[in-house]
Amino acid sequence: MSVSRPRVLADLPVGPAVLQLLNDRVELVPWSAAQEPGAAGITAIYTYGHPVVNGELLDRLPGVRSISNFGVGVDHIDLKAAAARNIPVGNTPGILDGATADMGFALLLAAGRRLVEGDRFARGPEFLKYDPSRYLGREIHHATLGIIGMGRIGMQVARRAAGFDMTVIYHNRQPRPEAEQTLGVRYASLEELLKTADYVILTVPLSPATRGLIGRAELALMKPTASLINIARGAVIDQDALAECLQARRIHAAALDVTDPEPLPRDHPLLKLDNVIITPHLGSATEQTRQRMAEMSVSNLIAGLAGEPMIFVQ
Ligand code: 8YV
């Protein structure tokens, strides 16, 4: 006798680690199933990647009792709309801070030292003779790092910066005295941070307050030798303004692990520039961290389907 499995809406495919943990306990149905007759039989949503969950979608899925997100950022989910319908949202907080901070630091090093440009050149036909005057970058050690967003990931970035003898300043909605004490970082206004830092790294969640936080005016405050690193969300930066700024070489470089949209249209101006590094949202992309994210998000999904409270919540 076949037992019917709970139907879970997911932006497929969800990846082997998740599938293995689910072990056929649920029936994953594609996002398009929300538009079809039978949508009422869907009892949970599993967000892998960043499919948008809004009130309109939830209204089409009256059977949904919980949402489980693979990842910590939940900006693609309308939390108010979920709360208004008594739908709990689980995510994977804490586990990916180290991996994401590592990636931020990798991008910082790569931007400062022109690693990707150098790699391209070293493989190309023009590299026929070593020339010590080529691809001079900017120093990282003893430089000033400005962290925008002193949350869990920002703090991990600050810890790494200490090993490079960097001076660390930060901007946050509220000053974080405990971070100042334990990490030796100093609070700065956004303006001071942008004017002072050699490296500006974005580690804020995307919210109405942070959307477009770095626009033309903010980029204009940055030093011509400074680099901008984004491991938050693409929409925190006005990308048109950034492309103009990089085209005119008004800052040293940018390194973006996130863009808006993701991926960028293949003809986007940012993709044509040599002073920008773009990676395909690899912040938490280590085997270990993504495995743990799969475990946490599947635990949340199973708990939600059983009508139990989410285990991991922001
Ligand atoms: C995730 C992320 O891999 O957790 C987050 O907020 O940005 C990423 O590291 C991504 O959300 C997967 O969907």
Side-chain angles (χ1 to χ4, degrees), residues 147-177:
I147 302 177
I148 301 182
M150 190 48 85
R152 287 181 297 236
I153 296 171
M155 286 191 210
Q156 288 286 334
V157 172
R159 288 164 62 90
R160 283 150 183 74
F164 283 78
D165 297 317
M166 297 180 95
T167 299
V168 181
I169 55 177
Y170 76 98
H171 182 73
N172 201 52
R173 267 174 310 177
Q174 304 289 334
R176 303 287 303 264

Side-chain angles (χ1 to χ4, degrees), residues 47-50 69-74 76 92 96 100 232-233 281 283-284 290 293:
T47 45
Y48 187 85
H50 307 113
N69 182 57
F70 178 92
V72 65
V74 285
H76 50 294
T92 66
L96 45 70
T100 309
R233 287 290 183 262
H281 202 137
S284 61
R290 290 271 165 94
M293 288 163 70

Side-chain angles (χ1 to χ4, degrees), residues 95-164:
I95 186 63
L96 45 70
D97 306 341
T100 309
D102 286 348
M103 185 66 191
F105 228 84
L107 288 174
L108 185 159
L109 293 165
R113 296 303 302 272
R114 305 178 66 180
L115 207 73
V116 176
E117 281 179 272
D119 174 84
R120 279 193 209 112
F121 178 72
R123 293 165 190 270
E126 280 163 44
F127 186 33
L128 299 172
K129 184 175 186 305
Y130 172 57
D131 176 353
S133 65
R134 272 189 181 134
Y135 293 106
L136 304 188
R138 304 294 312 171
E139 294 209 310
I140 284 110
H141 69 92
H142 296 97
T144 296
L145 171 63
I147 302 177
I148 301 182
M150 190 48 85
R152 287 181 297 236
I153 296 171
M155 286 191 210
Q156 288 286 334
V157 172
R159 288 164 62 90
R160 283 150 183 74
F164 283 78

Side-chain angles (χ1 to χ4, degrees), residues 48-87:
Y48 187 85
H50 307 113
V52 172
V53 177
N54 53 23
E56 197 193 320
L57 179 81
L58 295 176
D59 284 341
R60 261 190 251 126
L61 304 169
V64 164
R65 289 284 153 267
S66 62
I67 301 171
S68 173
N69 182 57
F70 178 92
V72 65
V74 285
D75 47 280
H76 50 294
I77 302 173
D78 184 338
L79 297 178
K80 280 196 187 134
R85 293 161 181 79
N86 287 320
I87 299 173

Side-chain angles (χ1 to χ4, degrees), residues 69 73 109-110 118 131 139 161 166 174 177 240 251 257 287 291-292 312:
N69 182 57
L109 293 165
D131 176 353
E139 294 209 310
M166 297 180 95
Q174 304 289 334
D240 293 340
I251 61 172
D257 187 42
E287 287 174 15
Q291 175 65 30
R292 187 74 186 111
F312 307 103

